[in-house]
Amino acid sequence: MLFDPRIPETAPSRGFPVPLEGTRSVLLQASSQGKDPALEFAASVAAGLERRPRSLDCRFLYDEEGSRLYEEITRQPEYYLTRTEASLLARYAVDISRLTGPATLVEFGSGYSVKTDYLLSAYEAWSPEVSYLPVDVSDSALRGAICAINRAHPAVRVIALHGTFEEAFALFDHVSPILALFLGSTVGNMNEEESRDFFTRVADHLRPGDHFLLGVDLLKDKGLLEAAYNDAAGVSAAFTGNLFVRMNRELGSQIDTSGLEHVARFDAEKEQIEIHARFLRAQTLELPLLQRSFRIEAGEEILTEISRKYRIETLLPEMETVGFRLRRLFTDERRWFALLLLEKG
Ligand SMILES: C[S@@+](CC[C@H](N)C(=O)[O-])C[C@H]1O[C@@H](n2cnc3c(N)ncnc32)[C@H](O)[C@@H]1O
């Protein structure tokens, strides 16, 4: 699916379903979107810069340009993740739909919903009245997804939520049965504690018989992993740099982004890729909204994102502990990526 910027603007009301002209789709604004977004962003940056080691919340990587760059990353030859997951969905979407039966699809961190297309086609075979509820902090990605889905699947009703994962749970009380989707190994961006809390919350909000489809990147050779996050075209580097461009634009941070370097390396002990912005020169990062300044030393690295890599033998017991049972495990011949179809017990 291609991004189509012609998606109509929503009315400025917040918290109410806003019908998108000429379609059956609606875009909901979660309550967090009604708060002062710059203040929330500034507070998150300040908290991250006070932490040791310093780190930033990766959710802020996804403004309009960040979402566009992420899509470009998925098309880089080194970035095997999206291609491998897409091929699994292409091959097994019909099997997945047969295993779950008809369901409303709720997707966390849906982005442009490109791969979801396979599932929408499979579920449309069950009923022409499929409902799809994508949730994402990126307004531009949601609009692009709605537009593309309306074109490719005119009968699918899209109810999109512009908000956080946390805010998505409010939707769960209104629909059943559910197939909750968490694709793209996005869960790998959460640390161990965050992902355990997230899985627990997903399980708590699903009813027995509902399903959860989880896409995870499996542990593999360090060289392959590091290449995926250091593409030769420099798109991953631009994605990291864009977080600081966003800070300059939205927070007035006055960072010289030419003095930043993208550093992505595999930590074998933690079994995760760690992405940093390294400051080549000392700089002062300003947060005028909070009247705060932070001195960053030459050579200092700020963690912008982690991407954890998984072993099925440790992930499965974790999912069982929170109340899921495995219906089917789908993986490719090289065992690079896995889709776990889980049922709430
Ligand atoms: C790694 S991308 C994956 C996109 C898509 N699911 C895919 O597989 O290509 C992560 C997506 O999650 C969204 N996201 C990140 N943190 C989020 C949060 N806390 N709440 C809601 N969406 C979030 C981003 O905007 C982005 O679209």
Side-chain angles (χ1 to χ4, degrees), residues 265-284:
R265 55 177 178 257
F266 183 62
D267 181 323
E269 203 178 309
K270 293 187 180 156
E271 300 188 338
Q272 65 189 25
I273 286 281
E274 296 180 349
I275 303 176
H276 296 86
R278 179 186 291 147
F279 279 65
L280 301 174
R281 300 182 282 282
Q283 294 202 44
T284 300

Side-chain angles (χ1 to χ4, degrees), residues 1-272:
M1 286 181 193
L2 293 174
F3 170 55
D4 185 338
R6 287 171 305 166
I7 189 93
E9 281 299 309
T10 53
S13 64
R14 292 193 186 276
F16 297 100
V18 180
L20 298 172
E21 229 170 89
T23 77
R24 299 170 65 231
S25 303
V26 292
L27 179 56
L28 304 166
Q29 299 290 342
S31 57
S32 66
Q33 305 307 315
K35 292 189 199 137
D36 184 335
L39 203 55
E40 192 194 354
F41 186 17
S44 167
V45 171
L49 294 179
E50 276 161 3
R51 254 191 306 270
R52 293 293 179 276
R54 286 176 156 161
S55 64
L56 297 170
D57 184 341
C58 66
R59 123 165 108 103
F60 293 103
L61 287 161
Y62 296 93
D63 63 349
E64 183 170 355
E65 179 63 359
S67 290
R68 190 194 69 73
L69 285 166
Y70 176 74
E71 282 307 305
E72 210 177 317
I73 289 173
T74 68
R75 293 191 287 270
Q76 297 310 303
E78 300 92 337
Y79 199 80
Y80 61 85
L81 290 86
T82 308
R83 268 193 305 282
T84 314
E85 188 180 38
S87 72
L88 291 175
L89 288 166
R91 197 180 313 164
Y92 297 117
V94 171
D95 293 8
I96 292 167
S97 73
R98 288 198 182 121
L99 284 161
T100 68
T104 292
L105 275 52
V106 183
E107 182 166 4
F108 296 99
S110 46
Y112 286 97
S113 303
V114 181
K115 286 166 286 172
T116 319
D117 204 50
Y118 296 112
L119 292 164
L120 293 175
S121 299
Y123 281 83
E124 274 194 299
W126 278 106
S127 147
E129 289 285 298
V130 175
S131 293
Y132 173 51
L133 282 58
V135 179
D136 206 291
V137 287
S138 171
D139 181 69
S140 60
L142 281 174
R143 286 167 189 273
I146 292 170
C147 208
I149 294 167
N150 285 339
R151 251 197 327 261
H153 305 273
V156 169
R157 180 161 166 74
V158 186
I159 302 164
L161 180 68
H162 180 213
T164 61
F165 300 143
E166 203 49 37
E167 290 165 320
F169 293 114
L171 298 172
F172 282 58
D173 300 338
H174 304 287
V175 277
S176 178
I178 292 178
L179 169 63
L181 307 171
F182 202 25
L183 305 177
S185 208
T186 304
V187 69
N189 300 147
M190 298 176 180
N191 65 31
E192 213 175 323
E193 193 186 339
E194 289 163 345
S195 75
R196 197 180 315 113
D197 288 353
F198 177 77
F199 290 147
T200 306
R201 295 215 65 194
V202 176
D204 286 351
H205 281 82
L206 290 175
R207 300 190 179 108
D210 282 341
H211 286 84
F212 182 33
L213 184 68
L214 176 66
V216 288
D217 194 22
L218 299 176
L219 193 61
K220 61 182 67 60
D221 173 69
K222 174 182 165 154
L224 283 166
L225 287 170
E226 289 191 341
Y229 295 87
N230 287 292
D231 58 274
V235 188
S236 297
F239 181 66
T240 302
N242 179 61
L243 177 57
F244 295 87
V245 173
R246 180 179 184 182
M247 280 185 216
N248 283 346
R249 187 182 62 245
E250 296 182 16
L251 306 179
S253 293
Q254 298 182 40
I255 305 155
D256 173 4
T257 53
S258 71
L260 302 182
E261 192 179 32
H262 163 90
V263 179
R265 55 177 178 257
F266 183 62
D267 181 323
E269 203 178 309
K270 293 187 180 156
E271 300 188 338
Q272 65 189 25

